[in-house]
Amino acid sequence: MRNKDDLYLNKIDWLTVSIYACLVIFGWFNIYAAVFDEQFPKSIFDLSINSGQQLVRIGAAFIIILLIMVADYRAFDNLAWILYILFLVLLIVTPFIGKEVNGQILSIGVGSFRIQPSEFAKFTTALALAKYMERPSFDLSQVKHQLQAVIIIMIPVILIMLQPDTGTAMVYFAFFIMLYREGMPQTYYILGLAFIAISLLALGIENNLYLVGGVFAIILLLIITGKKRIGRIVALVGIGIFTVVYIYSLDYVVSKLPEHQQNRIMVLFNPDLDPLGVGWNVTQSKIAIGSGGFWGKGYLEGTQTKFDFVPEQHTDFIFCTLGEEFGWVGSTVVLILFCTLLIRLIFLAERQKNRFSRIYGYCVVSILLFHVMVNISMTIGLFPVVGIPLPFFSYGGSSLWSFTILLFIFIKLDSHRIQLLGRMN
């Protein structure tokens, strides 16, 4: 007879665990490559450099995994609101007691041990959403419930913006991917995509008259081809007027952003703008990735990496090291790992026996998908430069630990899905 521990271990999704381990280890080797100095070479285990420090953090992540896996699976449901409120409090006090770096107050702690509450608030927000939305009476077709779910998301967003940390705050909008799966009306997403498209066009087109003309041409076409109802015509004209006002007010709004954020937006639409100044990061990032070619230059042989052409290459721009030293092949392998992980998590989320686990699972998928897409798009010039790390890959304790907690809580819930059968949808 097999004991309960053996049965429990068999229910752990080892494929997901294996992909996690591969990404963490591969990321660790790339962190070492990003700081490697061939004139004064140090061991990858040396605690005086980033790779050695990251190894300590990986060890701490392993301890966190053990704690999650031995914990009672019901604790994550029962403590969801407590954890959410706790990290909201930490977000509130961070601007007052946190350490300032580059004009941002992001971390709190004692001495050299510091954490970023905004990173950990991702998994607590996911738990709070899952807890709130698991109720049988919850229905995303009702405006009241839509607003309440959005409020849970927006509270940490507002607090993070006060630090200010625009990049991390943006991540929380990934939860709308989960809301779509759970029944949020498609109309909101169509309007959201239209809003994004108009914003990009307004920022990218020098003469807004062309865009305004296009908007009114579409409105006129909809009026002519649609049903001639007064209410519908008034609504379309109202949308057109609002859109025009928004287009012309966008330049004013952008002008009020911090200078470095304005520069990032400008570089997105004009990559050749000031390549030695505001466009330096993106330009050097694309050079590093492109110079890797098909096979790459070889491990620890990246010239762009060795000579520190790309700032923050061990954190937000870690994908540059991968592209330069492992080439298209290495980059593709890592992308396949991420895609496999996301597809596997979607499969796990769909097989959950209760709503809490399924919603939390889709929150995990949403956050990881957003991070991977934005980080890689940022390094190849398809998205403005924002401080969003590559999950399990980038250097940093808060990033690694928060993603580890986020993922392994779901792995824990999935391993107990049979016990959770009693709380069906």
Side-chain angles (χ1 to χ4, degrees):
M1 293 289 291
R2 291 184 297 177
N3 59 38
K4 291 183 178 180
D5 290 337
D6 291 334
L7 292 172
Y8 169 67
L9 290 174
N10 287 336
K11 288 184 173 60
I12 294 175
D13 191 70
W14 291 107
L15 175 59
T16 302
V17 175
S18 299
I19 296 173
Y20 164 85
C22 289
L23 289 170
V24 169
I25 294 170
F26 203 4
W28 178 53
F29 278 106
N30 276 272
I31 290 170
Y32 178 61
V35 299
F36 178 73
D37 186 345
E38 62 181 356
Q39 290 185 337
F40 305 99
K42 294 182 179 180
S43 167
I44 192 173
F45 302 101
D46 193 322
L47 295 179
S48 66
I49 60 175
N50 290 338
S51 60
Q53 296 165 15
Q54 188 71 0
L55 182 60
V56 174
R57 290 163 176 156
I58 292 172
F62 179 71
I63 295 173
I64 290 171
I65 292 170
L66 290 179
L67 292 175
I68 291 173
M69 301 313 286
V70 300
D72 190 330
Y73 65 93
R74 292 165 292 193
F76 305 111
D77 187 332
N78 297 333
L79 297 176
W81 286 116
I82 295 174
L83 291 171
Y84 178 71
I85 293 171
L86 171 63
F87 275 90
L88 289 184
V89 172
L90 291 178
L91 289 174
I92 291 171
V93 302
T94 295
F96 301 101
I97 65 173
K99 181 180 179 181
E100 183 174 347
V101 178
N102 298 326
Q104 296 177 310
I105 305 176
L106 306 178
S107 63
I108 58 174
V110 179
S112 60
F113 178 77
R114 312 194 70 81
I115 63 168
Q116 259 184 262
S118 58
E119 290 289 337
F120 293 92
K122 296 171 189 174
F123 87 84
T124 62
T125 303
L127 286 172
L129 279 169
K131 180 67 175 177
Y132 177 73
M133 293 173 60
E134 73 167 346
R135 298 177 307 163
S137 61
F138 184 85
D139 184 0
L140 271 175
S141 65
Q142 298 181 21
V143 175
K144 178 180 70 173
H145 291 164
Q146 295 167 10
L147 290 174
Q148 290 168 346
V150 170
I151 288 171
I152 294 173
I153 297 170
M154 292 306 298
I155 292 175
V157 169
I158 293 169
L159 294 176
I160 293 168
M161 288 295 293
L162 296 176
Q163 296 182 1
D165 185 4
T166 306
T168 303
M170 288 174 56
V171 175
Y172 286 76
F173 288 95
F175 288 118
F176 283 88
I177 300 174
M178 175 276 296
L179 292 178
Y180 179 78
R181 163 61 182 83
E182 293 302 315
M184 182 75 89
Q186 293 183 1
T187 305
Y188 297 140
Y189 294 87
I190 295 171
L191 292 174
L193 291 173
F195 173 80
I196 293 171
I198 290 172
S199 299
L200 292 173
L201 289 171
L203 293 170
I205 297 175
E206 188 172 345
N207 191 341
N208 285 332
L209 284 176
Y210 295 113
L211 181 57
V212 170
V215 168
F216 274 112
I218 294 172
I219 295 294
L220 182 61
L221 181 64
L222 291 174
I223 291 174
I224 294 173
T225 58
K227 295 180 179 179
K228 306 300 188 294
R229 293 178 179 175
I230 297 298
R232 184 175 182 274
I233 294 174
V234 171
L236 287 172
V237 172
I239 291 172
I241 295 173
F242 173 81
T243 303
V244 172
V245 172
Y246 171 74
I247 289 170
Y248 281 104
S249 64
L250 190 60
D251 288 337
Y252 174 78
V253 173
V254 172
S255 69
K256 296 301 179 181
L257 293 174
E259 185 178 357
H260 70 280
Q261 292 183 1
Q262 293 184 45
N263 290 336
R264 290 171 179 176
I265 293 173
M266 291 166 61
V267 169
L268 176 66
F269 293 100
N270 187 1
D272 297 325
L273 175 70
D274 193 12
L276 299 179
V278 297
W280 176 265
N281 285 26
V282 175
T283 300
Q284 297 303 319
S285 173
K286 291 192 288 187
I287 290 173
I289 295 172
S291 66
F294 188 77
W295 293 108
K297 297 176 180 177
Y299 187 55
L300 304 181
E301 298 298 327
T303 52
Q304 291 288 113
T305 299
K306 284 181 182 179
F307 296 110
D308 296 326
F309 281 105
V310 184
E312 306 298 331
Q313 193 159 345
H314 60 297
T315 54
D316 299 340
F317 283 86
I318 191 69
F319 193 76
C320 299
T321 306
L322 174 69
E324 182 178 23
E325 299 194 347
F326 294 93
W328 181 87
V329 173
S331 301
T332 301
V333 168
V334 170
L335 287 174
I336 289 173
L337 284 174
F338 275 119
C339 289
T340 304
L341 175 63
L342 291 168
I343 293 171
R344 183 62 181 175
L345 290 175
I346 291 173
F347 170 77
L348 297 183
E350 287 295 336
R351 77 177 184 181
Q352 296 310 301
K353 303 301 181 181
N354 72 13
R355 203 172 184 184
F356 177 87
S357 299
R358 187 186 70 232
I359 292 169
Y360 181 81
Y362 270 100
C363 286
V364 177
V365 172
S366 301
I367 293 172
L368 292 179
L369 175 63
F370 189 91
H371 267 272
V372 172
M373 289 182 61
V374 171
N375 179 274
I376 295 176
S377 297
M378 178 182 73
T379 61
I380 59 178
L382 296 179
F383 198 88
V385 176
V386 291
I388 293 182
L390 189 60
F392 316 120
F393 231 79
S394 295
Y395 172 83
S398 292
S399 170
L400 175 62
W401 297 334
S402 63
F403 284 126
T404 299
I405 294 171
L406 179 76
L407 177 63
F408 277 87
I409 286 178
F410 182 50
I411 292 175
K412 174 71 173 181
L413 292 173
D414 176 68
S415 67
H416 288 278
R417 62 187 180 278
I418 302 301
Q419 290 94 320
L420 290 164
L421 183 60
R423 290 168 48 196
M424 293 292 291
N425 294 335

